[in-house]
């Protein structure tokens, strides 16, 4: 009786460790996977649900005001947003990772970012996407599947467009 | 009004002073929190990005900014609990030094209790099983000051047998 | 060239280990002694081979061979020589190699003993030891190779050991250097001591497993491994204490133990190791509870392996974490194999260990020791649970949580109290039975003295009840041990006429273990004193001062007198504050908290200025993330009562272990020749 208990305890421990190791070795949610749904509440209070944007291309960019490498791409992302604005089917969402609101707002103002940005409350969104650092950008196609994963900043506006254009026709 | 009476003048002065102190005290409550006030709260929180470092000792710029938030909120009159709740809402449960007592987290607190109660019970039961009858009182009285048992213990016997076995094996 | 030599030697040692395992198994299954002896030779060889490997890496570090990836990660031109050497264990790959080397040291040392009497142990000790070493060598060779270099292939930089096609070696001009927090003399001694404590347990584990494999149920394995286990326990204790000391000296949070998961992973084997040392006592004196020693030593070793797995696999969130690594999955396989093999052997031989268990009384020595073991195990189980819970929580709810100091302290405090209580009664308790009258007679004098432990604190103005209770218990333990020592010495004295020194040394010789234990317990009690002082009575404050300004904490005042800024020869900028410590208006000391800024890594580290006395520490540190100028420097000040007793207690413990392992001067000639 005690033996069964001990062996199942050991078994449980090993299973649990295996799962833990598997998860620690996992990388970000990858290309071809379904993008985890989330709700983003912008700094101005509006709610955005990712699943509402099925049928559009969604660009989800993780950033932070304390992140130096986020700065080079900030203006380019805004330009890309403006470029696709009239089409109405390319959505840009900025997720602010472990940041402080006043500093975040200052950052957005400095780079003239106008598309929706909101804090990653309780770091739930970045955990769902298994984000390992900032900046990271996920381009999600019209079916809710991840089509491009950008780790680190985009190098230019053209670079951003090159990851979106193939999805449009 | 007898305002020119000396006593009345002092009374009015005292009253004016008293009234002027009221906004002063309200201001003092929320005014410039000291480093110690900030650390008092920061000590109970963990840095959201660093690995397992309390917020009062973390040296990064981000942590300095977080302490700044604590300072600002203290100045606005927020309580310790309100500030802690704010941090949890922003950054998740892991900024607290202990899992908040709700939902699944109760398990973390219950298991040690089970361990100790269960362990204690097991030990008590075991002890009952192992309990031997008390030896004769007279024997005990004699052996009071020298703890060595009169008979060789099982272990000694084992050891002698071992030695004999080894010798015979060469 | 040197890298090739180092790696070659590493690879050969792996082959030699595998050979040793195969030869030992073959030799013992086919009763061919020569194969077993050959395996023993193999086991002897691994240490010299790995010494060549380690020597090569040290050579590369000292000679600034930055084309070796590891060297550029942990070393830099400006580091002093001693730090370049300690950089050997500054990163994952090097520290794993260091671990293997130390492991090999113990394993090879075991071959030096005379094996004639214990032939049946030898092959299995070889298999278990070399099996473990082989696993770590696999990690060193295939997963975390410290000898890989940078190669340029066309436009890319590639990392590999062997030359890739069309590639040539490139070497950065300088390395990143060691993390400034590690640039401290503590780095020289804490990791090696900690690792020694960990790996040393391979020896008693191998003996225990060999005993099980052979189906033996006697305690020969304990006799064979006794000294090893004692030293392993000492190293482990020292590793923990040195880690605490280093944290206190450098890390600037005025504390010594943060209940960080990696710290706890090092504490857990210590808890079961201590329980083991006590369980052995019961088995020897009373022949009871024979299962406990073997279970506990195996548990200790498993916890060592488990702890290092957790630390290096990326499962833990800790300040001690190494950078993410790929060794997780294969390490898990090793864990599974080791755990399953150990469990299976124990369970299949369990019945053989059944012994007659009889406890005559709750207050007999063996019962009290049993209770202490249960308490230690309780702390262990709680710690284990606290360490793995964050991972469980993330699995179940997706949310990460922190299990921090409040959780552990809630449990540790009463357990420490319970242990102190047992330490009061146990020295007076007697094997097999108890007479309350006898106990009472022995207790009343120390009890009277112990009341000082209540009266003095209260007179001193203390009101915290738990602290008062703790002080009382500490006074009680010291009094009990003191009176008992005097009583036993007097007993000896009465029978012969000799002077005090002779009596004392004879008393020690006759019953070394008992007195060593007394000393060690007193050391623990002193540490308890330090713990209580700092946990209950630490106060702190922080303020920004300009030169000439003062701040007050406890009964002390400190004045920021002057600031010196200069560059030190090892590429760091030093901002050194001169601080005057005053009491009642008079200057009683001058201390120098400083901030060092390392140019090559761009990181600062602060070193506190401390005034230490037996009663308290006045601890001043510069807050390194704020500017340090004459106009304003921010100081964090701690008042830590009694903290020096932590370190005093540590010395006493070392002394106790030395007494315990002191070779018997004249083990009577009869027994010697009988061996």
């Amino acid at each position: 009786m005690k033996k069964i208990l001990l062996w199942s305890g050991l078994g449980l421990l090993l299973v649990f460790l295996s799962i833990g190791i598997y998860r620690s070795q996992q990388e970000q949610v990858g290309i071809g996977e379904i993008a985890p749904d989330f709700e983003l509440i912008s700094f101005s209070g509006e709610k955005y649900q990712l699943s509402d944007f099925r049928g559009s291309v969604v660009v989800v960019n993780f950033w932070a005001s304390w992140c130096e490498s986020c700065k080079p791409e900030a203006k380019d992302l805004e330009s890309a947003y403006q470029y696709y604005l009239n089409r109405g089917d390319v959505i840009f969402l900025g997720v602010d990772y472990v940041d402080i609101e006043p500093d975040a707002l200052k950052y957005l103002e400095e780079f003239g970012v106008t598309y929706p940005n909101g804090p990653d409350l309780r770091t739930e969104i970045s955990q769902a996407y298994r984000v390992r650092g900032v900046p990271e950008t996920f381009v999600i196609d019209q079916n809710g599947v991840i089509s491009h994963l950008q780790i680190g900043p985009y190098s230019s506006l053209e670079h951003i467009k090159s990851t979106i254009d193939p999805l449009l026709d | 009004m007898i305002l020119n009476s000396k006593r009345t003048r002092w009374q009015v002065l005292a009253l004016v002073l008293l009234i002027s102190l009221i906004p002063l005290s309200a201001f003092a409550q929320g005014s410039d929190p000291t480093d110690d006030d900030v650390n008092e709260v920061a000590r109970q929180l963990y840095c959201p990005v660093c690995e397992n470092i309390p917020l009062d000792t973390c040296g990064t710029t981000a942590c300095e900014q977080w302490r700044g938030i604590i300072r600002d909120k203290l100045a606005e009159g927020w309580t310790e609990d309100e500030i802690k709740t704010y941090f949890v809402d922003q950054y998740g449960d892991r900024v607290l030094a202990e899992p908040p007592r709700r939902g699944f987290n109760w398990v973390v607190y219950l298991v040690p209790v089970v361990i100790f109660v269960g362990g204690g019970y097991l030990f008590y039961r075991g002890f009952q099983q192992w309990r031997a009858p008390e030896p004769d009182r007279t024997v005990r009285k004699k052996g009071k000051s020298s703890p060595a048992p009169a008979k060789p213990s099982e272990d000694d016997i084992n050891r002698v047998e071992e030695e004999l076995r080894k010798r015979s094996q060469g | 060239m040197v890298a090739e030599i180092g790696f070659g030697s590493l690879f050969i040692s792996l082959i030699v280990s595998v050979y040793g395992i195969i030869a030992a198994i073959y030799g013992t299954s086919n009763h061919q002694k020569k194969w077993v002896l050959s395996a023993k030779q193999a086991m002897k060889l691994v240490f010299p081979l790995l010494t060549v490997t380690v020597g090569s890496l040290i050579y590369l570090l000292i000679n600034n061979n930055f084309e070796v990836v590891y060297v550029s990660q942990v070393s830099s031109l400006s580091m002093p020589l001693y730090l370049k050497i300690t950089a050997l264990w500054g990163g994952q790959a090097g520290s794993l190699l260091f671990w293997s080397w130390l492991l090999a040291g113990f394993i090879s040392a075991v071959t030096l003993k005379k094996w004639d009497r214990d032939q049946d142990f030898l092959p299995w000790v070889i298999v278990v030891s070399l099996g473990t070493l082989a696993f770590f060598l696999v990690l060193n060779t295939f997963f975390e190779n410290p000898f890989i270099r940078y190669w340029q292939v066309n436009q890319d930089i590639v990392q590999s050991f062997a030359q890739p096609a069309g590639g040539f070696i490139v070497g950065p001009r300088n390395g990143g250097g060691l993390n400034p927090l590690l640039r401290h003399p503590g780095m020289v001694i804490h990791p090696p001591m900690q690792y020694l404590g960990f790996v040393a347990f391979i020896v008693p584990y191998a003996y225990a497993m060999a005993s099980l494999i052979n189906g033996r149920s006697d305690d020969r394995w304990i006799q064979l491994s006794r000294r090893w286990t004692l030293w392993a326990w000492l190293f482990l204790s020292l590793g923990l204490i040195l880690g605490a000391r280093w944290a206190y000296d450098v890390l600037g949070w005025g504390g010594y133990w943060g209940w960080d998961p990696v710290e706890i992973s090092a504490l857990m084997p210590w808890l079961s190791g201590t329980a083991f040392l006590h369980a052995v006592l019961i088995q020897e004196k009373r022949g009871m509870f024979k299962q406990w020693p073997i279970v506990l030593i195996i548990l200790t070793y498993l916890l060592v392996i488990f702890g290092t797995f957790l630390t290096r696999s990326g499962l833990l969130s800790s300040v001690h974490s190494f950078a993410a690594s790929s060794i997780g999955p294969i390490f898990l396989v090793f864990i599974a194999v080791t755990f399953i093999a150990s469990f299976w052997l124990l369970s299949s031989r369990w019945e053989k260990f059944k012994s007659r268990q009889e406890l005559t009384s709750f207050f007999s020595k063996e019962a009290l020791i049993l209770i202490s073991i249960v308490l230690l195990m309780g702390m262990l189980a709680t710690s284990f649970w606290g360490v793995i819970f964050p991972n469980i929580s993330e699995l179940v709810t997706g949310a990460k949580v922190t299990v921090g100091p409040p959780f552990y302290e809630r449990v540790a405090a009463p357990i420490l109290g319970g242990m102190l209580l047992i330490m009061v009664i146990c020295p007076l308790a007697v094997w097999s039975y108890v007479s309350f009258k006898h106990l009472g007679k022995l207790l009343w004098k120390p009890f009277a003295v112990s009341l000082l432990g209540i009266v003095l604190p209260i007179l001193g103005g203390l009101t915290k009840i738990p602290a008062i209770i703790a002080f009382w218990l500490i006074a009680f333990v010291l009094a009990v041990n003191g009176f008992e020592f005097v009583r036993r010495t007097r007993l000896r004295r009465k029978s012969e006429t000799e002077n005090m020194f002779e009596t004392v040394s004879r008393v020690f010789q006759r019953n070394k273990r008992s007195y060593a234990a007394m000393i060690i317990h007193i050391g623990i009690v002193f540490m308890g004193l330090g713990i209580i002082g700092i946990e209950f009575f630490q106060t702190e404050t922080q303020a920004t001062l300009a030169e000439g300004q003062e701040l007050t904490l406890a009964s002390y005042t400190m004045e920021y007198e002057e600031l010196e800024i200069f560059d030190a020869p090892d590429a760091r900028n030093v901002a050194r504050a001169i601080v005057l410590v005053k009491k009642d208006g008079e200057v009683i000391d001058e201390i120098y908290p400083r901030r060092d800024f390392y140019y090559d890594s761009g990181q600062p580290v602060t070193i506190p200025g401390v005034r230490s006395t037996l009663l308290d520490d006045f601890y001043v540190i510069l807050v390194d993330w704020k500017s340090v100028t004459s106009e304003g420097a921010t100081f964090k000040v701690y008042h830590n009562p009694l903290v020096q007793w932590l370190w005093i207690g540590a010395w006493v413990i070392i002394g106790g272990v030395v007494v315990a392992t002191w070779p018997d001067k004249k083990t009577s000639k009869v027994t010697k020749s009988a061996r």
Side-chain angles (χ1 to χ4, degrees):
Chain A
M1 178 47 211
K2 256 191 244 177
K3 283 194 189 173
I4 301 177
L5 219 60
L6 273 166
W7 279 108
S8 35
L10 178 63
L12 204 63
L13 177 68
L14 289 174
V15 165
F16 159 70
L17 288 175
S18 313
I19 302 179
I21 287 285
Y22 172 70
R23 285 167 59 112
S24 74
Q25 303 276 319
Q26 264 181 331
E27 309 215 304
Q28 293 84 345
V29 177
I31 298 175
E33 291 185 52
I34 301 207
D37 194 15
F38 61 84
E39 181 189 68
L40 183 71
I41 306 179
S42 75
F43 288 112
S44 40
E46 281 119 40
K47 298 199 180 154
Y48 298 86
Q49 187 77 31
L50 177 68
S51 44
D52 288 345
F53 297 113
R54 274 298 159 85
S56 304
V57 170
V58 186
V59 178
V60 179
N61 169 258
F62 289 88
W63 62 277
S65 68
W66 43 264
C67 156
E68 285 304 316
S69 20
C70 300
K71 296 184 179 173
E73 66 168 10
K75 280 213 173 80
D76 291 335
L77 283 166
E78 172 65 15
S79 308
Y81 166 68
Q82 296 291 343
Y83 179 80
Y84 292 104
L85 190 51
N86 291 328
R87 295 181 52 113
D89 64 351
V90 181
I91 313 291
F92 279 72
L93 292 175
V95 180
D96 185 22
Y97 176 71
V98 188
D99 207 346
I100 298 167
E101 191 166 320
D103 298 344
L105 293 173
K106 251 189 266 170
Y107 177 96
L108 293 173
E109 199 184 306
E110 179 184 341
F111 295 101
V113 179
T114 58
Y115 57 80
N117 277 272
D120 181 13
L121 290 177
R122 305 181 72 101
T123 67
E124 283 174 351
I125 310 176
S126 49
Q127 272 180 258
Y129 281 77
R130 298 197 291 274
V131 166
R132 293 228 179 139
V134 278
E136 283 181 18
T137 310
F138 296 79
V139 178
I140 306 166
D141 72 14
Q142 293 90 338
N143 299 316
V145 173
I146 297 181
S147 83
H148 177 79
L149 165 57
Q150 179 67 28
I151 298 182
Y154 277 106
S155 48
S156 65
L157 176 57
E158 295 313 311
H159 188 189
I160 302 178
K161 287 194 208 167
S162 72
T163 61
I164 301 176
D165 288 334
L167 298 173
L168 308 169
D169 36 48
Chain B
M1 281 281 244
I2 325 168
L3 273 170
N4 43 9
S5 145
K6 207 171 177 195
R7 199 173 4 128
T8 326
R9 238 179 269 155
W10 277 115
Q11 281 172 345
V12 171
L13 189 59
L15 197 59
V16 167
L17 276 174
L18 227 71
I19 297 175
S20 64
L21 279 175
I22 296 174
L24 203 61
S25 65
F27 182 67
Q29 235 172 26
S31 77
D32 227 22
T34 64
D35 283 351
D36 287 343
D37 296 328
V38 172
N39 280 337
E40 188 56 44
V41 181
R43 192 184 315 140
Q44 302 176 50
L45 293 168
Y46 275 78
C47 165
V49 274
C50 338
E51 300 277 9
N52 219 42
I53 300 183
L55 202 51
D56 64 329
T57 53
C58 169
T60 63
T61 351
C63 287
E64 185 62 3
Q65 290 175 332
W66 277 309
R67 281 191 295 271
I69 293 195
I70 297 179
R71 177 172 279 118
D72 292 340
K73 301 236 182 275
L74 280 174
E76 285 168 31
W78 286 43
T79 66
E80 219 175 73
D81 283 331
E82 285 170 350
I83 298 180
K84 281 169 36 180
T85 312
Y86 172 77
F87 269 81
V88 170
D89 288 339
Q90 288 286 313
Y91 309 114
D93 287 334
R94 69 177 185 285
V95 296
L96 293 174
E98 268 196 305
R101 286 165 170 75
R102 63 163 185 281
F104 181 71
N105 293 334
W106 275 109
V107 179
V108 78
Y109 297 105
L110 287 177
V111 166
V113 175
V114 168
I115 289 177
F116 278 97
V117 170
Y121 175 70
L122 278 175
F123 184 69
Y124 177 69
R125 281 291 304 278
F127 189 75
Q128 298 255 322
Q129 277 180 353
W130 301 323
R131 188 132 196 176
E134 295 210 340
D136 205 305
R137 272 191 179 260
T138 47
V139 175
R140 248 201 294 150
K141 268 213 170 83
K142 276 211 190 117
K144 235 200 288 190
S145 50
S146 63
K151 282 199 299 205
S153 70
E154 273 218 2
D155 223 59
D156 291 328
I157 296 177
N158 274 342
R159 241 183 260 148
V160 174
E161 286 179 349
E162 253 310 339
E163 283 290 338
L164 289 173
R165 183 168 71 85
K166 292 231 158 73
R167 277 170 201 250
S168 60
Q169 279 178 357
Chain C
M1 239 287 277
V2 178
E4 275 85 3
I5 294 177
F7 182 75
S9 199
L10 173 65
F11 193 71
I12 295 176
S13 62
L14 174 57
I15 308 267
V16 166
S17 306
V18 172
Y19 165 77
I21 299 171
I22 298 177
I25 296 180
Y26 180 80
T28 192
S29 334
N30 295 315
H31 304 287
Q32 300 210 16
K33 212 160 118 170
K34 63 169 185 191
W35 284 106
V36 176
L37 288 176
S38 172
K40 190 177 86 154
Q41 290 303 99
M43 195 151 103
K44 201 183 277 190
L45 268 179
V46 287
F47 183 63
L49 282 170
L50 283 172
T51 306
V52 172
T53 306
V54 166
S56 311
L57 189 54
I58 293 183
Y59 179 89
L60 293 168
L61 282 163
I62 297 181
N63 285 291
N64 302 311
N65 283 53
F66 297 116
E67 76 276 7
V68 176
V69 177
Y70 185 70
V71 175
S72 66
Q73 281 172 345
V74 299
S75 182
S76 64
L77 289 168
S78 58
M79 276 176 25
L81 182 66
Y82 85 92
L83 276 182
K84 284 184 187 164
I85 299 177
T86 65
L88 172 65
W89 52 83
Q92 172 90 281
S95 80
L96 260 178
L97 180 65
F98 186 56
W99 175 286
S100 298
W101 179 62
L102 291 174
L103 188 61
F106 279 98
I107 292 175
S108 295
V110 166
T111 63
L112 295 176
K113 97 176 203 81
K114 286 206 193 24
W115 281 94
D116 316 323
R117 273 191 74 196
D118 303 294
Q119 298 285 359
D120 49 348
F121 275 95
L122 182 60
W124 299 113
V125 168
I126 295 177
V127 169
V128 171
S129 309
L130 285 181
T132 308
L133 182 65
F135 164 70
F136 283 101
L137 291 177
V138 163
L139 289 184
N140 292 133
T141 311
F142 299 109
F143 290 85
E144 289 282 343
N145 184 350
F147 295 104
I148 56 179
R149 277 87 56 96
Y150 290 112
W151 305 84
Q152 180 146 357
V153 184
N154 304 321
Q155 303 289 27
D156 293 316
I157 307 274
V158 160
Q159 291 182 11
S160 115
F161 174 71
Q163 183 173 17
F168 54 93
I169 289 196
V170 286
R173 255 176 289 151
N174 198 358
L178 213 51
N179 182 330
L181 279 175
L182 301 177
R183 300 194 198 197
H184 182 267
M187 182 59 169
V188 177
I189 184 134
H190 161 60
M193 193 61 74
Q194 191 75 71
Y195 285 16
L196 277 174
F198 287 147
V199 302
F201 278 100
I202 184 73
V203 176
Y205 174 73
Y207 277 113
M209 291 291 275
S211 185
L212 285 175
I213 293 175
N214 283 322
R216 294 172 72 138
S217 63
D218 59 11
D219 62 349
R220 178 76 184 140
W221 70 272
I222 300 183
Q223 292 169 23
L224 288 169
S225 57
R226 145 157 301 131
R227 275 234 165 75
W228 296 97
T229 312
L230 261 175
W231 283 99
W233 183 86
L234 178 64
F235 287 142
L236 194 53
S237 310
L238 284 178
L240 288 166
I241 293 171
L242 286 167
R245 183 74 210 240
W246 188 6
Y248 186 73
D249 277 350
V250 177
L251 294 185
W253 39 278
Y256 57 95
W257 185 263
W259 293 105
D260 177 84
V262 171
E263 288 172 6
I264 300 173
S265 301
L267 179 67
M268 290 197 288
W270 183 87
L271 288 170
S272 66
T274 307
F276 166 78
L277 290 176
H278 290 92
V280 165
L281 207 54
I282 302 181
Q283 172 168 343
E284 277 189 20
K285 294 287 187 186
R286 299 276 291 135
M288 298 196 303
F289 298 104
K290 282 168 74 170
Q291 297 141 326
W292 293 42
I294 199 155
V295 166
L296 286 170
I297 202 68
I298 290 181
L299 180 64
T300 304
Y301 174 76
L302 292 180
L303 285 169
V304 166
I305 299 292
F306 188 68
T308 201
F309 163 70
L310 281 183
T311 307
R312 295 175 187 271
S313 64
L315 278 180
L316 290 182
S317 163
S318 157
V319 293
H320 292 84
S321 295
F322 290 98
S325 163
S326 52
I327 63 176
I330 188 175
F331 212 132
L332 182 59
V333 171
F334 175 68
I335 294 264
V337 167
T338 310
F339 273 60
I340 292 176
S342 309
F343 268 56
W344 183 75
L345 271 174
L346 266 176
S347 79
S348 62
R349 308 283 193 248
W350 193 247
E351 296 307 311
K352 296 203 168 160
F353 283 91
K354 279 245 182 291
S355 50
R356 184 209 84 215
Q357 337 252 67
E358 263 174 28
L359 283 177
T360 48
S361 153
F362 206 59
F363 284 91
S364 61
K365 208 165 189 126
E366 55 266 34
L368 290 173
I369 294 181
L370 271 179
I371 298 177
S372 76
I373 294 178
V374 169
L375 285 179
L376 285 168
M377 292 290 103
M379 185 70 219
L380 172 57
T382 309
S383 303
F384 184 82
W385 173 244
V387 165
I388 63 173
F389 184 77
N391 289 16
I392 296 181
S393 158
E394 198 181 344
L395 212 62
V396 172
T397 66
K400 288 193 197 156
V401 290
T402 305
V403 178
F407 176 83
Y408 297 103
E409 286 167 0
R410 198 178 294 129
V411 171
I415 288 188
L416 185 60
M419 298 292 287
L420 282 176
L421 196 56
I422 295 182
M423 278 197 239
V424 165
I425 309 176
C426 211
L428 308 176
V430 154
W431 296 105
S432 322
Y433 51 77
V434 74
S435 151
F436 285 104
K437 238 166 85 177
H438 176 68
L439 260 184
K441 240 178 37 178
L442 290 172
L443 266 177
W444 76 265
K445 273 192 237 167
F447 178 72
V449 172
S450 77
L451 291 176
L452 278 176
I454 301 188
V455 167
L456 286 178
I458 294 187
L459 282 180
L462 249 49
T463 48
K464 289 193 187 147
I465 304 270
I468 295 180
I469 295 179
F471 280 128
W472 167 61
L473 282 173
I474 289 176
F476 208 169
V477 174
L478 292 172
V480 159
N481 278 295
F483 276 98
E484 185 60 13
F485 179 70
V486 168
R487 185 185 75 93
R488 290 196 203 178
T489 316
R490 274 224 197 99
L491 265 177
R492 293 252 167 267
R493 194 93 166 297
K494 277 207 182 117
S495 32
E496 284 140 80
T497 45
E498 60 199 340
N499 71 35
M500 203 49 179
F501 276 126
E502 283 176 24
T503 316
V504 169
S505 77
R506 252 185 1 104
V507 148
F508 267 79
Q509 284 283 343
R510 281 290 188 92
N511 209 345
K512 253 195 319 182
R513 238 194 320 166
S514 173
Y515 289 100
M518 209 182 252
I519 297 175
I520 294 177
H521 288 142
I522 291 180
I524 302 240
V525 160
F526 284 165
M527 291 188 68
L529 204 58
I531 293 175
I532 290 171
I534 200 172
E535 293 302 324
F536 280 103
F537 301 108
Q538 180 188 55
T539 51
E540 62 177 80
T541 187
Q542 179 176 318
T544 306
L545 301 175
E547 261 179 11
Q549 287 187 322
E550 292 184 345
L551 67 79
T552 307
L553 180 67
S555 51
Y556 297 94
T557 306
M558 65 154 265
E559 181 191 321
Y560 175 22
E561 190 183 60
E562 205 190 316
L563 181 67
E564 300 172 341
I565 303 190
F566 55 90
D567 273 343
D570 52 351
R572 64 189 156 102
N573 176 270
V574 179
R576 186 170 174 267
I578 301 183
V579 167
L580 301 174
V581 181
K582 305 183 189 171
K583 195 159 186 169
D584 302 324
E586 281 200 27
V587 177
I588 51 174
D589 209 341
E590 199 174 278
I591 53 181
Y592 312 101
R594 65 176 211 267
R595 191 208 56 203
D596 292 351
F597 181 81
Y598 287 87
Y599 289 115
D600 52 13
S601 65
Q603 282 173 294
V605 80
T606 58
I607 312 286
V610 187
R611 176 183 180 269
S612 293
T613 66
L614 284 184
L615 270 181
D616 59 19
D617 269 14
F618 189 73
Y619 181 106
V620 179
I621 198 159
L622 279 167
V623 165
D624 63 358
W625 51 86
K626 288 215 152 74
S627 60
V628 178
T629 67
S630 316
E631 286 77 53
T634 311
F635 294 93
K636 190 144 191 209
V637 185
Y638 292 92
H639 179 240
N640 298 325
L642 299 176
V643 73
Q644 288 299 313
W645 288 94
L646 260 177
W647 322 124
I648 295 175
W651 281 112
V652 173
I653 293 177
I654 297 175
V657 175
V658 167
V659 169
T661 53
W662 199 259
D664 295 316
K665 258 197 282 195
K666 4 171 199 145
T667 329
S668 74
K669 300 225 157 82
V670 178
T671 39
K672 253 212 163 104
S673 56
R675 285 206 185 167

